[in-house]
Amino acid sequence: MTNTFSPAHDYFLSDEVAARTAPRLRYPSPPAGLRWLRLQLRVLSAVAPELAFRQAWKLFCTPRRLPLKAWEVPALADARRRTVPYETGPVAVYEWGPAAAPAVVLVHGWEHRASFWRAWVQPLVAAGYRVVALDGPAHGASGGQQTTLMGFSGAVQAVVNTVGEVRAMVAHSFGAASVAGLPVRLPAGVPLPRLVLLSAPVGPREVAERFADFLRLPTDFVERFAAYVQQATGRPASSFGAAVAGPGTRAEKVLVLHDEDDEIIPFAEGRQIAAAWPGAELRATRGLGHNRILRDAGVVQAALAFIG
């Protein structure tokens, strides 16, 4: 089935024209595979609710490794490649630009990978920066089959610890949630000069609510989710929210970019983050949705001007 709910959906259409004209509705008529999955989980929830939750949690934490598109190969062709050890397996890292230049670290979203930053690399290099992008755990060329917000954040932190001078971090969607939710910090308490968050969710609970609604899960799923997160991490799920934990990044300036027509993460959540994060600036776009904001030339230039 075609998972138009996935944050990666329009990036895996055949070309840019197809992406621009893709319908924004998610499953106006649910495909058979989705209907069957919803039925399975509903029946399992009635007879074995704990088992149903574990199955739903596994789905929640398992990104699909979607096939490479032709445009991804040239996007990474001239990158310097290395790996960083991590508990779930090696994390693939890609770099462009002068090795001694200050770095801009790019953190992709759910079911994306480093190649999805193709629109950002050359403008940043032309501005004199070293660009560092990674494939998160269970994504792209990195190890692992499943990942969580905490696990993804830890991998980003492991990479940042190897980078040296960092001028900015730019993160999209789940990547933005991971950078702000741990939060990721520069070593030795050094302040992060600039942080750019694109299409960021306000917190894990809201993401879990959308997931539960999509799969028609029982009403207690979100409470089970919150209890499980607290048991596993020792922190309330709400403490991983971008606006709650994000200021711990010690970012000197924060830019929140969010599209008013985002069909995955409502624009209201970007507004909430900016309102609750002292000094954060919100800039709205229109007509770009959740993914096109990532490859829009105007957005890239706005972020570049902000990074300075």
Side-chain angles (χ1 to χ4, degrees), residues 65-183:
R65 289 186 185 266
L66 295 163
L68 285 171
K69 288 293 185 181
W71 53 261
E72 293 186 77
V73 175
L76 301 177
D78 58 347
R80 302 186 297 274
R81 304 184 186 215
R82 60 187 175 94
T83 59
V84 171
Y86 189 59
E87 59 191 28
T88 55
V91 175
V93 180
Y94 309 83
E95 296 192 13
W96 299 261
V104 175
V105 179
L106 307 177
V107 185
H108 67 77
W110 191 253
E111 294 184 343
H112 288 196
R113 41 198 176 233
S115 55
F116 283 39
W117 292 105
R118 58 178 176 154
W120 294 71
V121 172
Q122 292 309 315
L124 286 166
V125 170
Y129 294 110
R130 173 168 48 111
V131 178
V132 180
L134 66 140
D135 291 337
H139 289 75
S142 293
Q145 298 300 316
Q146 297 179 344
T147 192
T148 62
L149 186 69
M150 196 77 168
F152 202 97
S153 299
V156 176
Q157 185 69 67
V159 171
V160 167
N161 291 346
T162 70
V163 169
E165 182 185 356
V166 175
R167 171 62 182 175
M169 284 193 278
V170 183
H172 176 247
S173 191
F174 180 73
S178 73
V179 168
L182 191 63

Side-chain angles (χ1 to χ4, degrees), residues 12 24 30 48 50 56-57 63 117 125 127 138 152 181 190-191 195-196 214 216 229 232 248 260 283 286 288 300:
F12 279 87
R24 310 321 301 169
E50 186 59 31
W57 175 263
W117 292 105
V125 170
F152 202 97
V190 175
L195 174 62
V196 180
F214 177 63
R216 307 292 189 265
V229 170
E260 293 178 354
R283 294 191 197 176
R286 182 173 293 178
L288 297 176
V300 174

Side-chain angles (χ1 to χ4, degrees), residues 16-58:
E16 294 290 340
V17 173
R20 285 197 301 272
T21 59
R24 310 321 301 169
L25 294 175
R26 299 197 293 263
Y27 297 133
S29 177
L34 176 59
R35 294 198 301 270
W36 175 240
L37 178 59
R38 286 171 171 171
L39 176 61
Q40 282 182 307
L41 290 171
R42 185 163 63 246
V43 170
L44 192 58
S45 295
V47 298
E50 186 59 31
L51 181 59
F53 173 77
R54 290 200 298 270
Q55 184 171 334
W57 175 263
K58 182 178 179 180

Side-chain angles (χ1 to χ4, degrees), residues 202-203 206 243 256 266-277 282:
V202 71
E206 289 76 9
V256 178
F267 174 72
E269 295 191 22
R271 188 162 48 205
Q272 283 178 263
I273 293 169
W277 194 321
L282 173 66

Side-chain angles (χ1 to χ4, degrees), residues 185-193 249-250:
R185 298 182 176 93
L186 299 188
V190 175
L192 174 64
T249 58
R250 300 189 64 201

